[in-house]
Protein backbone atom coordinates (compact mmCIF):
# COMPACT_ATOMS: atom_id res chain seq x y z
CA UNK A 1 0.00 0.00 0.00
CA UNK A 2 0.92 3.64 -0.50
CA UNK A 3 -0.32 6.03 2.19
CA UNK A 4 -1.22 9.51 0.92
CA UNK A 5 -1.79 12.46 3.25
CA UNK A 6 -3.83 15.05 1.35
CA UNK A 7 -3.45 18.23 3.41
CA UNK A 8 -6.44 20.27 2.30
CA UNK A 9 -7.74 23.43 3.93
CA UNK A 10 -11.18 22.27 5.09
CA UNK A 11 -10.39 18.57 5.41
CA UNK A 12 -7.38 16.31 5.50
CA UNK A 13 -7.82 13.12 3.49
CA UNK A 14 -5.80 9.98 4.12
CA UNK A 15 -5.88 7.39 1.39
CA UNK A 16 -4.55 3.91 0.83
CA UNK A 17 -3.67 3.13 -2.78
CA UNK A 18 -3.02 -0.50 -3.73
CA UNK A 19 -0.39 -1.87 -6.15
CA UNK A 20 -2.75 -1.55 -9.12
CA UNK A 21 -3.47 2.12 -8.48
CA UNK A 22 -6.92 1.53 -7.00
CA UNK A 23 -8.20 3.40 -3.97
CA UNK A 24 -8.32 0.78 -1.20
CA UNK A 25 -9.33 3.06 1.67
CA UNK A 26 -10.12 6.70 2.35
CA UNK A 27 -10.97 8.80 5.38
CA UNK A 28 -11.70 12.50 5.76
CA UNK A 29 -10.93 14.26 8.98
CA UNK A 30 -11.48 17.91 9.81
CA UNK A 31 -8.45 19.54 11.48
CA UNK A 32 -9.23 21.58 14.62
CA UNK A 33 -8.71 25.01 13.06
CA UNK A 34 -9.07 27.87 15.51
CA UNK A 35 -9.66 31.59 15.05
CA UNK A 36 -8.27 33.38 18.15
CA UNK A 37 -8.76 36.79 16.52
CA UNK A 38 -11.09 37.98 13.74
CA UNK A 39 -9.58 37.00 10.40
CA UNK A 40 -6.98 34.66 11.92
CA UNK A 41 -6.82 30.95 11.06
CA UNK A 42 -4.46 28.62 12.92
CA UNK A 43 -3.85 24.94 13.56
CA UNK A 44 -1.88 23.77 16.58
CA UNK A 45 1.24 21.98 15.34
CA UNK A 46 0.87 19.13 17.84
CA UNK A 47 -2.79 18.72 16.94
CA UNK A 48 -1.68 18.43 13.29
CA UNK A 49 0.24 15.23 14.08
CA UNK A 50 -2.59 13.88 16.23
CA UNK A 51 -5.13 14.44 13.45
CA UNK A 52 -2.97 12.44 11.04
CA UNK A 53 -2.58 9.66 13.62
CA UNK A 54 -6.36 9.56 14.07
CA UNK A 55 -6.79 9.33 10.31
CA UNK A 56 -4.36 6.43 10.05
CA UNK A 57 -6.25 4.63 12.82
CA UNK A 58 -9.50 5.14 10.92
CA UNK A 59 -7.93 3.69 7.78
CA UNK A 60 -6.72 0.67 9.70
CA UNK A 61 -10.24 0.13 11.04
CA UNK A 62 -11.65 0.44 7.51
CA UNK A 63 -9.02 -1.80 5.88
CA UNK A 64 -7.51 -4.05 8.59
CA UNK A 65 -3.83 -4.75 8.04
CA UNK A 66 -3.37 -1.90 5.58
CA UNK A 67 -1.08 0.22 7.76
CA UNK A 68 1.45 -2.56 8.27
CA UNK A 69 1.39 -3.08 4.49
CA UNK A 70 2.35 0.54 3.73
CA UNK A 71 5.61 0.58 1.76
CA UNK A 72 5.65 4.30 0.99
CA UNK A 73 4.13 7.46 2.43
CA UNK A 74 3.70 10.74 0.55
CA UNK A 75 1.50 13.85 0.45
CA UNK A 76 -0.50 16.34 -1.57
CA UNK A 77 -0.58 19.78 -0.03
CA UNK A 78 -1.94 23.28 0.23
CA UNK A 79 0.72 25.98 0.34
CA UNK A 80 1.50 29.27 2.10
CA UNK A 81 0.40 27.64 5.37
CA UNK A 82 3.46 27.58 7.62
CA UNK A 83 4.99 27.13 11.08
CA UNK A 84 8.15 28.55 12.67
CA UNK A 85 10.49 26.26 14.65
CA UNK A 86 13.37 26.89 17.05
CA UNK A 87 16.85 25.30 16.99
CA UNK A 88 15.52 22.15 18.59
CA UNK A 89 12.72 21.77 16.03
CA UNK A 90 10.06 22.85 18.53
CA UNK A 91 7.13 24.91 17.20
CA UNK A 92 7.30 28.61 18.06
CA UNK A 93 3.97 29.32 16.42
CA UNK A 94 0.87 27.38 15.43
CA UNK A 95 0.54 26.47 11.77
CA UNK A 96 -0.72 29.74 10.28
CA UNK A 97 -3.09 28.80 7.46
CA UNK A 98 -3.05 30.54 4.09
CA UNK A 99 -6.54 32.18 4.38
CA UNK A 100 -5.38 33.98 7.56
CA UNK A 101 -5.82 37.75 7.13
CA UNK A 102 -3.56 39.08 9.89
CA UNK A 103 -1.13 40.61 7.39
CA UNK A 104 -3.73 42.81 5.70
CA UNK A 105 -2.04 46.01 6.88
CA UNK A 106 1.27 44.81 5.43
CA UNK A 107 -0.03 43.93 1.97
CA UNK A 108 1.12 47.10 0.22
CA UNK A 109 4.55 47.02 1.84
CA UNK A 110 4.88 43.35 0.94
CA UNK A 111 4.00 44.01 -2.68
CA UNK A 112 6.45 46.90 -2.81
CA UNK A 113 9.30 44.78 -1.48
CA UNK A 114 8.59 42.08 -4.07
CA UNK A 115 8.57 44.48 -7.03
CA UNK A 116 12.13 43.60 -7.97
CA UNK A 117 13.26 43.69 -11.60
CA UNK A 118 12.01 40.60 -13.45
CA UNK A 119 10.67 39.05 -10.21
CA UNK A 120 7.67 37.52 -11.98
CA UNK A 121 9.97 35.97 -14.58
CA UNK A 122 11.97 34.40 -11.75
CA UNK A 123 9.14 33.23 -9.52
CA UNK A 124 6.34 32.52 -12.00
CA UNK A 125 3.95 34.45 -9.73
CA UNK A 126 1.91 37.21 -11.43
CA UNK A 127 0.94 39.01 -8.19
CA UNK A 128 1.22 38.63 -4.42
CA UNK A 129 -1.32 39.19 -1.65
CA UNK A 130 -1.65 39.29 2.14
CA UNK A 131 -2.42 35.56 2.10
CA UNK A 132 1.10 34.62 1.06
CA UNK A 133 3.42 33.29 3.75
CA UNK A 134 5.94 36.09 3.28
CA UNK A 135 3.38 38.79 4.11
CA UNK A 136 2.73 37.10 7.44
CA UNK A 137 6.45 36.75 8.07
CA UNK A 138 6.63 40.56 7.83
CA UNK A 139 3.79 40.73 10.36
CA UNK A 140 5.66 38.40 12.72
CA UNK A 141 8.86 40.44 12.40
CA UNK A 142 6.97 43.53 13.57
CA UNK A 143 4.39 42.11 15.97
CA UNK A 144 6.36 39.26 17.55
CA UNK A 145 10.09 40.11 17.22
CA UNK A 146 11.11 37.75 20.04
CA UNK A 147 9.55 34.83 18.18
CA UNK A 148 11.24 35.90 14.96
CA UNK A 149 14.65 36.11 16.65
CA UNK A 150 14.32 32.51 17.90
CA UNK A 151 13.29 31.16 14.48
CA UNK A 152 15.69 28.58 13.10
CA UNK A 153 13.41 26.83 10.59
CA UNK A 154 10.49 27.95 8.45
CA UNK A 155 8.27 25.08 7.30
CA UNK A 156 5.31 24.96 4.99
CA UNK A 157 2.68 22.57 6.31
CA UNK A 158 3.97 19.70 4.14
CA UNK A 159 7.56 20.55 5.11
CA UNK A 160 6.55 20.09 8.74
CA UNK A 161 5.09 16.67 7.93
CA UNK A 162 8.35 15.80 6.15
CA UNK A 163 10.40 17.00 9.11
CA UNK A 164 8.30 15.06 11.62
CA UNK A 165 8.60 11.83 9.65
CA UNK A 166 12.17 12.11 8.36
CA UNK A 167 14.03 14.71 10.39
CA UNK A 168 14.93 16.51 7.15
CA UNK A 169 14.14 20.16 6.41
CA UNK A 170 13.00 19.72 2.81
CA UNK A 171 10.29 21.35 0.67
CA UNK A 172 8.63 20.40 -2.60
CA UNK A 173 9.60 22.87 -5.32
CA UNK A 174 6.08 23.30 -6.71
CA UNK A 175 4.55 24.16 -3.33
CA UNK A 176 7.56 26.38 -2.56
CA UNK A 177 7.09 28.07 -5.93
CA UNK A 178 3.69 29.39 -4.90
CA UNK A 179 5.25 31.32 -2.01
CA UNK A 180 6.62 33.77 -4.57
CA UNK A 181 10.14 33.39 -3.12
CA UNK A 182 11.55 30.61 -5.30
CA UNK A 183 13.58 30.82 -8.48
CA UNK A 184 11.45 28.25 -10.31
CA UNK A 185 14.06 27.67 -13.02
CA UNK A 186 16.86 26.66 -10.64
CA UNK A 187 14.61 25.34 -7.87
CA UNK A 188 16.45 27.55 -5.39
CA UNK A 189 15.26 30.28 -3.07
CA UNK A 190 15.79 33.74 -4.52
CA UNK A 191 18.51 35.33 -2.38
CA UNK A 192 17.41 38.77 -3.55
CA UNK A 193 13.77 38.27 -2.54
CA UNK A 194 14.69 36.73 0.81
CA UNK A 195 16.98 39.68 1.54
CA UNK A 196 14.28 42.19 0.59
CA UNK A 197 11.94 40.60 3.14
CA UNK A 198 14.49 40.11 5.91
CA UNK A 199 14.37 36.29 5.75
CA UNK A 200 17.58 34.39 6.55
CA UNK A 201 18.38 31.79 3.86
CA UNK A 202 19.48 29.24 6.47
CA UNK A 203 15.91 29.19 7.86
CA UNK A 204 14.48 27.96 4.58
CA UNK A 205 14.05 24.27 3.68
CA UNK A 206 15.97 22.68 0.82
CA UNK A 207 13.80 22.58 -2.35
CA UNK A 208 13.59 19.23 -4.17
CA UNK A 209 11.48 18.01 -7.06
CA UNK A 210 8.20 16.21 -6.47
CA UNK A 211 8.80 12.48 -6.34
CA UNK A 212 12.16 12.70 -4.56
CA UNK A 213 12.64 9.71 -2.26
CA UNK A 214 14.14 10.46 1.17
CA UNK A 215 14.71 6.83 2.12
CA UNK A 216 13.20 4.39 4.64
CA UNK A 217 11.97 5.78 7.92
CA UNK A 218 14.37 3.70 10.02
CA UNK A 219 17.21 5.78 8.59
CA UNK A 220 15.52 9.04 9.47
CA UNK A 221 16.11 11.12 12.57
CA UNK A 222 12.38 11.48 13.11
CA UNK A 223 11.57 7.77 13.29
CA UNK A 224 9.83 6.86 16.55
CA UNK A 225 7.91 9.53 18.44
CA UNK A 226 5.34 11.05 16.07
CA UNK A 227 6.27 8.53 13.37
CA UNK A 228 5.59 5.73 15.79
CA UNK A 229 2.15 7.15 16.51
CA UNK A 230 1.38 6.74 12.82
CA UNK A 231 2.32 3.05 13.24
CA UNK A 232 4.33 2.94 10.03
CA UNK A 233 6.87 0.20 9.34
CA UNK A 234 10.57 1.10 9.76
CA UNK A 235 11.10 0.00 6.15
CA UNK A 236 8.40 2.37 4.85
CA UNK A 237 9.89 4.86 2.41
CA UNK A 238 9.11 8.56 2.40
CA UNK A 239 8.57 10.17 -1.00
CA UNK A 240 8.17 13.93 -1.33
CA UNK A 241 4.73 14.64 -2.76
CA UNK A 242 3.60 17.88 -4.34
CA UNK A 243 1.17 20.78 -4.45
CA UNK A 244 -2.40 19.48 -4.49
CA UNK A 245 -3.25 21.02 -7.85
CA UNK A 246 -0.19 19.39 -9.44
CA UNK A 247 -1.09 16.08 -7.80
CA UNK A 248 -4.61 16.33 -9.23
CA UNK A 249 -3.15 16.98 -12.67
CA UNK A 250 -0.91 13.91 -12.41
CA UNK A 251 -3.89 11.88 -11.17
CA UNK A 252 -5.74 12.91 -14.32
CA UNK A 253 -2.83 11.76 -16.52
CA UNK A 254 -1.52 15.28 -17.16
CA UNK A 255 2.19 14.37 -17.19
CA UNK A 256 3.63 15.44 -20.53
CA UNK A 257 4.02 18.74 -22.36
CA UNK A 258 0.79 19.94 -23.94
CA UNK A 259 -1.56 18.04 -21.63
CA UNK A 260 -4.32 20.06 -19.93
CA UNK A 261 -6.58 19.17 -17.01
CA UNK A 262 -9.21 21.05 -15.02
CA UNK A 263 -10.81 20.71 -11.62
CA UNK A 264 -14.28 22.05 -10.92
CA UNK A 265 -14.71 22.21 -7.16
CA UNK A 266 -14.95 25.09 -4.70
CA UNK A 267 -12.73 26.92 -7.16
CA UNK A 268 -12.14 26.35 -10.86
CA UNK A 269 -8.52 25.50 -11.66
CA UNK A 270 -6.83 24.57 -14.92
CA UNK A 271 -3.34 23.12 -15.26
CA UNK A 272 -1.16 22.73 -18.33
CA UNK A 273 2.08 20.75 -18.47
CA UNK A 274 4.74 22.56 -20.51
CA UNK A 275 8.35 21.98 -21.48
CA UNK A 276 9.31 25.64 -21.20
CA UNK A 277 8.61 28.72 -19.10
CA UNK A 278 6.46 31.20 -21.01
CA UNK A 279 7.41 34.82 -20.37
CA UNK A 280 4.39 36.10 -22.29
CA UNK A 281 1.48 34.28 -20.62
CA UNK A 282 -1.56 36.30 -19.62
CA UNK A 283 -2.00 37.93 -16.20
CA UNK A 284 -3.35 35.59 -13.55
CA UNK A 285 -1.33 32.62 -14.79
CA UNK A 286 1.03 30.90 -12.36
CA UNK A 287 4.03 28.86 -13.46
CA UNK A 288 6.03 26.47 -11.32
CA UNK A 289 8.39 23.49 -11.49
CA UNK A 290 6.89 20.08 -12.19
CA UNK A 291 8.24 16.68 -11.17
CA UNK A 292 11.06 16.51 -13.75
CA UNK A 293 13.82 18.80 -14.96
CA UNK A 294 12.64 20.97 -17.84
CA UNK A 295 8.95 20.53 -17.06
CA UNK A 296 6.68 23.28 -15.74
CA UNK A 297 3.07 23.39 -14.68
CA UNK A 298 1.04 26.45 -15.63
CA UNK A 299 -2.09 27.16 -13.61
CA UNK A 300 -5.06 29.50 -13.68
CA UNK A 301 -7.66 29.86 -10.94
CA UNK A 302 -11.12 31.35 -10.75
CA UNK A 303 -13.96 31.58 -8.25
CA UNK A 304 -16.80 30.87 -10.68
CA UNK A 305 -17.05 27.17 -9.99
CA UNK A 306 -19.19 24.49 -8.35
CA UNK A 307 -19.58 26.76 -5.33
CA UNK A 308 -22.29 28.63 -7.27
CA UNK A 309 -24.21 25.42 -7.84
CA UNK A 310 -24.02 24.52 -4.15
CA UNK A 311 -25.13 28.03 -3.22
CA UNK A 312 -28.12 27.83 -5.57
CA UNK A 313 -29.08 24.41 -4.26
CA UNK A 314 -29.23 25.88 -0.76
CA UNK A 315 -31.70 28.54 -1.95
CA UNK A 316 -34.27 25.95 -3.03
CA UNK A 317 -37.25 25.37 -0.74
CA UNK A 318 -36.60 21.63 -0.72
CA UNK A 319 -33.43 19.61 -1.16
CA UNK A 320 -32.76 18.40 -4.70
CA UNK A 321 -29.71 16.26 -5.43
CA UNK A 322 -27.16 17.35 -8.02
CA UNK A 323 -28.07 14.59 -10.44
CA UNK A 324 -31.67 15.80 -10.57
CA UNK A 325 -30.54 19.41 -11.00
CA UNK A 326 -28.32 18.34 -13.91
CA UNK A 327 -31.29 16.58 -15.55
CA UNK A 328 -33.27 19.84 -15.31
CA UNK A 329 -30.40 21.77 -16.90
CA UNK A 330 -30.05 19.23 -19.71
CA UNK A 331 -33.63 19.94 -20.84
CA UNK A 332 -32.83 23.63 -21.38
CA UNK A 333 -31.52 25.04 -24.64
CA UNK A 334 -27.99 26.55 -24.82
CA UNK A 335 -28.04 30.09 -23.44
CA UNK A 336 -30.29 29.25 -20.46
CA UNK A 337 -33.09 31.45 -21.67
CA UNK A 338 -30.92 34.56 -21.65
CA UNK A 339 -29.77 34.19 -18.03
CA UNK A 340 -26.22 35.23 -17.10
CA UNK A 341 -24.23 35.28 -13.90
CA UNK A 342 -23.38 38.77 -12.72
CA UNK A 343 -19.68 39.48 -12.62
CA UNK A 344 -17.99 40.74 -9.46
CA UNK A 345 -20.31 38.97 -7.02
CA UNK A 346 -18.51 38.18 -3.76
CA UNK A 347 -20.20 34.83 -3.29
CA UNK A 348 -17.90 33.48 -0.58
CA UNK A 349 -18.11 36.56 1.62
CA UNK A 350 -21.85 37.18 1.20
CA UNK A 351 -23.39 33.78 0.52
CA UNK A 352 -25.75 34.03 3.51
CA UNK A 353 -27.35 37.31 2.37
CA UNK A 354 -27.33 37.07 -1.44
CA UNK A 355 -30.61 36.67 -3.26
CA UNK A 356 -31.22 35.21 -6.72
CA UNK A 357 -31.47 38.66 -8.31
CA UNK A 358 -28.06 39.55 -6.82
CA UNK A 359 -26.43 36.67 -8.67
CA UNK A 360 -28.40 36.22 -11.90
CA UNK A 361 -28.65 38.88 -14.60
CA UNK A 362 -31.78 39.00 -16.75
CA UNK A 363 -33.84 36.97 -14.27
CA UNK A 364 -37.53 36.70 -15.25
CA UNK A 365 -40.57 35.08 -13.71
CA UNK A 366 -40.60 32.36 -16.39
CA UNK A 367 -37.08 31.17 -15.60
CA UNK A 368 -37.10 27.75 -13.98
CA UNK A 369 -34.65 25.80 -11.81
CA UNK A 370 -33.35 24.20 -14.99
CA UNK A 371 -32.54 27.61 -16.51
CA UNK A 372 -30.62 28.70 -13.43
CA UNK A 373 -28.64 25.48 -13.11
CA UNK A 374 -27.79 25.54 -16.81
CA UNK A 375 -26.75 29.19 -16.46
CA UNK A 376 -24.29 28.25 -13.72
CA UNK A 377 -22.91 25.31 -15.68
CA UNK A 378 -22.47 27.45 -18.77
CA UNK A 379 -20.82 30.25 -16.78
CA UNK A 380 -18.26 27.80 -15.39
CA UNK A 381 -17.67 26.40 -18.89
CA UNK A 382 -17.04 29.88 -20.31
CA UNK A 383 -14.73 30.72 -17.38
CA UNK A 384 -12.89 27.47 -18.11
CA UNK A 385 -12.53 28.53 -21.73
CA UNK A 386 -10.86 31.76 -20.63
CA UNK A 387 -8.46 29.82 -18.41
CA UNK A 388 -7.57 27.45 -21.24
CA UNK A 389 -6.88 30.36 -23.58
CA UNK A 390 -4.73 32.01 -20.88
CA UNK A 391 -2.68 28.80 -20.54
CA UNK A 392 -2.57 27.75 -24.18
CA UNK A 393 -3.24 30.79 -26.36
CA UNK A 394 -4.48 29.56 -29.73
CA UNK A 395 -2.74 26.19 -29.28
CA UNK A 396 -5.75 24.38 -27.81
CA UNK A 397 -5.27 20.85 -26.47
CA UNK A 398 -6.70 17.86 -28.28
CA UNK A 399 -8.46 16.81 -25.06
CA UNK A 400 -9.07 18.19 -21.57
CA UNK A 401 -9.04 15.85 -18.58
CA UNK A 402 -11.65 16.73 -15.98
CA UNK A 403 -11.55 16.06 -12.24
CA UNK A 404 -13.31 17.27 -9.10
CA UNK A 405 -16.99 17.13 -8.23
CA UNK A 406 -17.97 18.67 -11.56
CA UNK A 407 -16.46 15.70 -13.40
CA UNK A 408 -19.20 13.44 -12.02
CA UNK A 409 -21.86 15.21 -14.10
CA UNK A 410 -22.11 14.01 -17.69
CA UNK A 411 -24.34 16.99 -18.48
CA UNK A 412 -21.73 19.45 -17.25
CA UNK A 413 -18.91 17.68 -19.09
CA UNK A 414 -20.92 17.89 -22.31
CA UNK A 415 -21.58 21.61 -21.82
CA UNK A 416 -17.85 22.20 -21.30
CA UNK A 417 -17.04 20.28 -24.49
CA UNK A 418 -19.67 22.24 -26.43
CA UNK A 419 -18.46 25.63 -25.16
CA UNK A 420 -14.76 24.93 -25.69
CA UNK A 421 -15.04 22.90 -28.88
CA UNK A 422 -12.62 20.38 -27.35
CA UNK A 423 -13.30 16.82 -26.12
CA UNK A 424 -13.57 16.60 -22.33
CA UNK A 425 -12.88 13.32 -20.52
CA UNK A 426 -13.35 12.47 -16.85
CA UNK A 427 -11.19 9.99 -14.98
CA UNK A 428 -12.59 7.02 -13.08
CA UNK A 429 -10.80 7.68 -9.79
CA UNK A 430 -12.91 9.79 -7.46
CA UNK A 431 -9.78 11.11 -5.71
CA UNK A 432 -7.34 12.14 -8.49
CA UNK A 433 -5.26 14.26 -6.06
CA UNK A 434 -4.53 11.24 -3.87
CA UNK A 435 -3.93 9.11 -6.96
CA UNK A 436 -1.46 11.64 -8.38
CA UNK A 437 0.58 11.71 -5.17
CA UNK A 438 0.58 7.90 -5.11
CA UNK A 439 1.83 7.84 -8.71
CA UNK A 440 4.82 9.95 -7.65
CA UNK A 441 5.58 7.51 -4.83
CA UNK A 442 5.20 4.44 -7.02
CA UNK A 443 7.48 5.90 -9.69
CA UNK A 444 10.17 6.74 -7.12
CA UNK A 445 10.08 3.37 -5.37
CA UNK A 446 9.91 1.27 -8.54
CA UNK A 447 12.39 3.26 -10.60
CA UNK A 448 9.82 4.14 -13.27
CA UNK A 449 8.92 7.43 -14.87
CA UNK A 450 5.88 9.32 -13.60
CA UNK A 451 4.39 9.11 -17.09
CA UNK A 452 4.76 5.33 -17.19
CA UNK A 453 2.96 4.83 -13.89
CA UNK A 454 0.26 7.33 -14.84
CA UNK A 455 -0.35 5.48 -18.08
CA UNK A 456 -0.91 2.26 -16.12
CA UNK A 457 -2.91 3.71 -13.24
CA UNK A 458 -5.04 6.53 -14.68
CA UNK A 459 -8.25 5.17 -16.11
CA UNK A 460 -10.18 7.53 -18.37
CA UNK A 461 -13.86 7.42 -19.26
CA UNK A 462 -15.09 7.91 -22.82
CA UNK A 463 -14.67 11.58 -23.78
CA UNK A 464 -17.58 13.92 -24.36
CA UNK A 465 -17.22 15.21 -27.92
CA UNK A 466 -18.30 18.75 -28.80
CA UNK A 467 -21.55 19.06 -30.75
CA UNK A 468 -20.86 21.38 -33.65
CA UNK A 469 -24.21 23.19 -33.65
CA UNK A 470 -24.08 23.85 -29.92
CA UNK A 471 -20.47 25.01 -30.18
CA UNK A 472 -21.43 27.53 -32.86
CA UNK A 473 -24.22 28.87 -30.71
CA UNK A 474 -21.91 29.23 -27.73
CA UNK A 475 -19.28 30.96 -29.86
CA UNK A 476 -21.86 33.59 -30.74
CA UNK A 477 -22.50 34.15 -27.00
CA UNK A 478 -18.84 34.28 -25.99
CA UNK A 479 -18.55 38.07 -25.65
CA UNK A 480 -21.41 38.08 -23.13
CA UNK A 481 -19.54 35.59 -20.91
CA UNK A 482 -16.24 37.11 -19.83
CA UNK A 483 -15.05 36.52 -16.30
CA UNK A 484 -11.30 35.99 -16.35
CA UNK A 485 -9.23 34.06 -13.86
CA UNK A 486 -8.22 35.28 -10.43
CA UNK A 487 -4.81 34.60 -8.96
CA UNK A 488 -5.13 33.53 -5.35
CA UNK A 489 -2.47 31.52 -3.62
CA UNK A 490 -3.76 28.56 -1.66
CA UNK A 491 -7.50 28.22 -1.79
CA UNK A 492 -9.63 24.96 -1.44
CA UNK A 493 -8.12 23.87 -4.82
CA UNK A 494 -4.37 24.95 -3.60
Amino acid sequence: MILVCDLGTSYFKLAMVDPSGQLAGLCRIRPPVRQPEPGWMELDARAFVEVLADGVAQLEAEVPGSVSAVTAVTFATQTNSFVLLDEGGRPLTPIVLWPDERAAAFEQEYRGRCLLPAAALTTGIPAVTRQYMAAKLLWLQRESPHTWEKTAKICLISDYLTLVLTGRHVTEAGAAGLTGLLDVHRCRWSAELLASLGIRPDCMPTPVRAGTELGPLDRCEGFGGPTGRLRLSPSCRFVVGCLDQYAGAIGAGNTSAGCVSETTGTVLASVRCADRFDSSVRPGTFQGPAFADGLYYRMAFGEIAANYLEWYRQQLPQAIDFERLAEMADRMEPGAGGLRLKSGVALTANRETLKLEDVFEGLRADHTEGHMVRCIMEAVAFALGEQIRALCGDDLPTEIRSAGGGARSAVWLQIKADVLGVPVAATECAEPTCLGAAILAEAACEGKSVGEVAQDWVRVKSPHLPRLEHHRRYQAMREDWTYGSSGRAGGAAI
Side-chain angles (χ1 to χ4, degrees):
M1 295 286 185
I2 294 172
L3 172 63
V4 179
C5 302
D6 181 356
L7 307 175
T9 305
S10 300
Y11 288 92
F12 292 166
K13 296 178 186 176
L14 283 87
M16 291 288 184
V17 179
D18 72 17
S20 67
Q22 297 282 5
L23 200 65
L26 177 74
C27 78
R28 294 177 176 86
I29 190 163
R30 186 185 290 273
V33 174
R34 63 194 188 197
Q35 294 183 281
E37 300 284 347
W40 293 24
M41 289 186 68
E42 302 177 345
L43 172 62
D44 182 79
R46 295 170 184 83
F48 169 73
V49 176
E50 295 299 334
V51 165
L52 295 179
D54 289 346
V56 170
Q58 288 184 32
L59 280 178
E60 177 64 18
E62 180 184 340
V63 187
S66 60
V67 174
S68 61
V70 170
T71 56
V73 60
T74 187
F75 61 79
T77 186
Q78 58 181 291
T79 192
N80 282 299
S81 298
F82 69 95
V83 61
L84 304 185
L85 309 176
D86 66 12
E87 286 283 357
R90 294 176 291 269
L92 294 168
T93 66
I95 298 172
V96 181
L97 300 176
W98 71 264
D100 185 287
E101 294 277 340
R102 72 185 65 189
F106 292 83
E107 186 168 53
Q108 290 305 317
E109 179 184 353
Y110 170 46
R111 288 180 176 177
R113 291 197 187 196
C114 291
L115 288 177
L116 301 177
L121 297 180
T122 299
T123 65
I125 301 295
V128 294
T129 72
R130 68 189 71 176
Q131 293 174 330
Y132 280 64
M133 174 182 73
K136 290 158 202 169
L137 293 181
L138 282 180
W139 182 92
L140 282 159
Q141 290 172 30
R142 305 285 177 79
E143 300 297 325
S144 187
H146 297 299
T147 299
W148 184 248
E149 289 169 6
K150 295 177 184 177
T151 298
K153 289 183 175 69
I154 299 172
C155 291
L156 294 171
I157 190 170
S158 52
D159 307 345
Y160 186 58
L161 173 67
T162 304
L163 186 68
V164 165
L165 294 187
T166 72
R168 294 179 63 177
H169 193 206
V170 167
T171 191
E172 189 269 316
L178 251 72
T179 66
L181 300 175
L182 193 79
D183 181 333
V184 298
H185 311 292
R186 300 180 180 181
C187 288
R188 298 176 186 172
W189 298 107
S190 166
E192 191 175 11
L193 283 167
L194 292 183
S196 73
L197 293 161
I199 302 171
R200 298 200 322 270
D202 62 297
C203 292
M204 303 302 289
T206 302
V208 299
R209 293 271 180 182
T212 298
E213 185 194 338
L214 300 185
L217 298 183
D218 63 358
R219 298 180 192 171
C220 300
E221 289 180 30
F223 188 71
T227 307
R229 292 210 294 280
L230 298 183
R231 298 189 292 173
L232 298 172
S233 165
S235 62
C236 176
R237 310 180 84 82
F238 187 92
V239 178
V240 175
C242 66
L243 185 72
D244 50 12
Q245 288 292 349
Y246 295 169
I250 294 168
N254 183 354
T255 60
S256 59
C259 291
V260 175
S261 56
E262 66 92 9
T263 303
T264 300
T266 305
V267 298
L268 176 68
S270 301
V271 178
R272 183 187 189 191
C273 189
D275 55 9
R276 63 184 179 87
F277 184 92
D278 189 349
S279 60
S280 61
V281 295
R282 297 184 187 183
T285 301
F286 297 78
Q287 299 184 81
F291 53 83
D293 289 343
L295 276 186
Y296 294 87
Y297 276 125
R298 300 176 190 163
M299 293 190 295
F301 300 95
E303 295 183 353
I304 294 181
N307 55 339
Y308 273 83
L309 191 56
E310 173 60 26
W311 171 83
Y312 175 67
R313 184 169 172 262
Q314 292 172 357
Q315 311 309 304
L316 298 174
Q318 58 185 13
I320 301 178
D321 62 37
F322 290 109
E323 185 175 349
R324 174 65 178 148
L325 290 175
E327 290 173 359
M328 294 177 178
D330 195 32
R331 293 196 289 268
M332 301 298 111
E333 286 291 312
L339 269 185
R340 299 288 185 270
L341 285 190
K342 291 183 179 180
S343 59
V345 175
L347 181 66
T348 302
N350 302 301
R351 61 185 306 124
E352 301 299 328
T353 59
L354 287 173
K355 299 178 181 179
L356 294 180
E357 55 268 27
D358 298 324
V359 174
F360 293 100
E361 185 175 330
L363 186 62
R364 302 189 308 266
D366 62 331
H367 282 131
T368 66
E369 289 92 342
H371 286 110
M372 283 177 263
V373 174
R374 185 164 191 112
C375 170
I376 292 170
M377 290 182 166
E378 290 178 344
V380 173
F382 276 100
L384 174 62
E386 292 183 41
Q387 290 186 2
I388 299 302
R389 285 188 291 275
L391 296 176
C392 305
D394 295 327
D395 184 22
L396 295 180
T398 57
E399 180 182 88
I400 296 171
R401 296 283 174 86
S402 184
R408 292 194 285 270
S409 169
V411 174
W412 210 343
L413 293 171
Q414 186 62 59
I415 289 173
K416 290 174 181 176
D418 291 342
V419 169
L420 273 68
V422 175
V424 177
T427 56
E428 291 186 2
C429 181
E431 299 292 339
T433 300
C434 292
L435 179 62
I439 287 171
L440 289 171
E442 175 75 2
C445 293
E446 297 299 322
K448 297 180 179 179
S449 73
V450 172
E452 285 177 310
V453 179
Q455 187 170 9
D456 290 340
W457 282 14
V458 178
R459 297 161 181 89
V460 184
K461 297 179 182 179
S462 297
H464 291 259
L465 304 178
R467 296 171 292 192
L468 183 58
E469 179 57 33
H470 282 204
H471 179 59
R472 286 173 176 165
R473 292 172 69 177
Y474 282 128
Q475 284 290 92
M477 304 174 195
R478 179 174 158 184
E479 289 187 2
D480 294 333
W481 292 91
T482 303
Y483 294 108
S485 56
S486 63
R488 290 184 60 183
I494 300 180

